[in-house]
Amino acid sequence: MLQETRWPFASSSLLVPLVLIIVACGAVVYYGYQLAETMKQSTAASARVDGQLTAREITGFLDREHERLRAFVIEKQPEVSEILAFPDNWPAIDAVQTSLRRMFRGALAFTVTGADGKPMFEDFDGLVGDVCQASMRDYVQSMDQGLVENEIPPIHPVPGAYHFDLISPWKLEGGESGLFFVSMSPGRIAELLDAAQQASGARMLLVNRDDPTLIEVSGLGARDSLGAAIRLPPEALTPEHFATDLPGTEWRLVVLPDTAALTEAVSEVYTRVGVLVLSLLLISISLLVFIRRSEQRNSTVFMRSLQSSVSRQRAILQSMVDGMVTIDSRGKIHHVNNAVTRLFGYEPKELFGENVRILMPEPDRSGHDGYLKNYINTGESKILGKGREVLGRRKDGSLFPVMLTLGESQEGDQRIFVGILHDMTAYKEAQRKIVSQSMAIERSKHELEEISQIASKDLQLPLQRITMLGESIESGDGSTLSGSEKDQLKTLADDARNASELVKGLADYTR
């Protein structure tokens, strides 16, 4: 476990900084994304605002031109009457043409129609062609139907003079009526589009309302000035574009933001975000590496100390005289020391995973197995920390007495019990010898008591009688005894008295 290889940044102390770094990088990326989306939304909003302003400017310009044309027609009623009377009066027609061009910048040609919408004179320049005449007839029909507002027709594609038409009705005092028809160059509208483009930076186009891809007018002029690019490609209509119909016309204003500039700006935002995230990661990784190396240095010292401590503990456990066995709550053996191998005759690999009953097959009288199960079930300890004498069984089947002491430890969610096994064989043999010696001592005690009894009663009494007899004879009439006999009698009495003292001392010694 101490030598297990781990991922360098998997330590718990680096987990919180790693999470914070990831959150910070995510926040930067999210900020960049929001900034890019804001730029897109701002571009779309600017396109909408600029388009609305430009649409109002173009509509206002057309309304003013119509008002001026109506005023011009009222002013030129005498000339109109003269043209109606003499359609071939070209000097009068040229005079009106000259006044019209001075009044309206971009006026190309004009014509006057009767109530049926047919031109009163022929347009030699070819500007008032079939399309223009169809517009005149449509206008007359609208008037007959009571429609006041009439839409400006699309651009008329006359080669070299693309134009649109301004139409104003006229009515003379005599009751005659008709139309005053003017072909106008779209140059003024192109100038408004170009000015709006310069101010906003977006491309602005007038397209045909019925054919939205057909370009009518751009900042360069009518579509004859665009060459082959007279149609708007579908991919040009990005989500940020804006389009609105111009009232009173058959045109639609389309505002196309500068996608290249927007793409470049968004790319610049993402580039800065990438650089910022990369810088943040590099700085964070440098700090984490520094922290990790510092931890590794401290961890190396700690691991060496821990390994040394573990080695010492392992040496102590393996050198124990008493056996040590580690079991789980089900009695499965997890570890044994060398003393268990010496006591029971098993190799460690033969015991690992086996039930502890292989070493202690029978419970002792106090029921230590029952005590352990009761402790596991109820938590009431009657065996932990208390020695219990059990029978151990060696590999060869022989039984011997063992003193078992249990302790408990917690390893994660697993309960581990450690048993210390002390061989009681020598103790039992010593105890047997003590009992045998005690019995021998007890026998010796009885023998000594018998000797004391003999010395104090059986020997002491005859000796006392001899002493008393000798003293009695000596103190009596000893005329019948010779001197040597008296000496012998005295000596006998003294020896008896000394023997009596010895017997008394022997009795005291035995006691």
Side-chain angles (χ1 to χ4, degrees), residues 374-392:
N374 180 72
Y375 172 68
I376 294 174
N377 294 330
T378 66
E380 182 180 355
S381 176
K382 293 185 178 180
I383 188 171
L384 295 183
K386 302 175 183 178
R388 300 286 176 176
E389 186 176 338
V390 298
L391 283 179

Side-chain angles (χ1 to χ4, degrees), residues 38 128 182 263 313 327 338 467:
T38 301
V128 184
V182 181
T263 302
Q313 292 180 11
I327 64 175
N338 293 335
T467 302

Side-chain angles (χ1 to χ4, degrees), residues 173-240:
E173 295 179 356
E176 296 178 285
S177 65
L179 300 177
F180 195 94
F181 187 91
V182 181
S183 297
M184 296 287 295
S185 169
R188 179 59 179 154
I189 297 177
E191 290 176 1
L192 294 175
L193 292 175
D194 184 63
Q197 288 181 163
Q198 297 295 330
S200 64
R203 185 185 179 192
M204 296 193 180
L205 303 171
L206 290 182
V207 299
N208 193 300
R209 191 171 59 193
D210 297 328
D211 187 1
T213 63
L214 180 63
I215 299 175
E216 296 281 359
V217 184
S218 70
L220 300 175
R223 63 173 177 267
D224 59 336
S225 62
L226 301 178
I230 61 174
R231 288 200 173 268
L232 187 65
E235 59 271 14
L237 299 177
T238 63
E240 294 79 20

